[in-house]
Amino acid sequence: GGCWHQCCPGRNNACWAPGARRARCYCDSYCERTGDCCEDYHAVCRRAAVGCVVGPWGPWSGCSSPCGVGSKARSRQVTVPPRHGGEPCPDLKQRRGCLGEHPTCGTAK
């Protein structure tokens, strides 16, 4: 079986080629985990694979609640998107809890 220029990221059941003994072999990056890659997968697909690269985390936002329980968020950007079955991008957003402590909180009725 041959992948030729058919290389797919992740698990993709439509990304296959005819293999030996009428069995299918796969050209998706998941085939490395399942062991059913086409014979030329590494030569054709992995050589051209580019994993995701992300930038640094941005600053945390302010607390969503000025008084009491709220949340903060931060994000980062993709600087190099994954190609040809390279590693997928990690999380681009994070959220965490916070407690708003604005000076007026204690005096609010």
Side-chain angles (χ1 to χ4, degrees), residues 63-99:
C63 192
S64 63
S65 174
C67 300
V69 177
S71 64
K72 292 182 175 187
R74 70 179 182 172
S75 63
R76 59 185 172 181
Q77 301 295 318
V78 173
T79 56
V80 178
R83 291 190 303 271
H84 309 296
E87 287 296 313
C89 294
D91 289 339
L92 300 175
K93 294 183 180 182
Q94 285 184 334
R95 186 172 298 276
R96 71 178 183 188
C98 60
L99 186 60

Side-chain angles (χ1 to χ4, degrees), residues 14-27:
C15 193
W16 62 274
R21 299 184 193 144
R22 295 185 181 173
R24 289 182 178 182
C25 62
Y26 290 86
C27 302

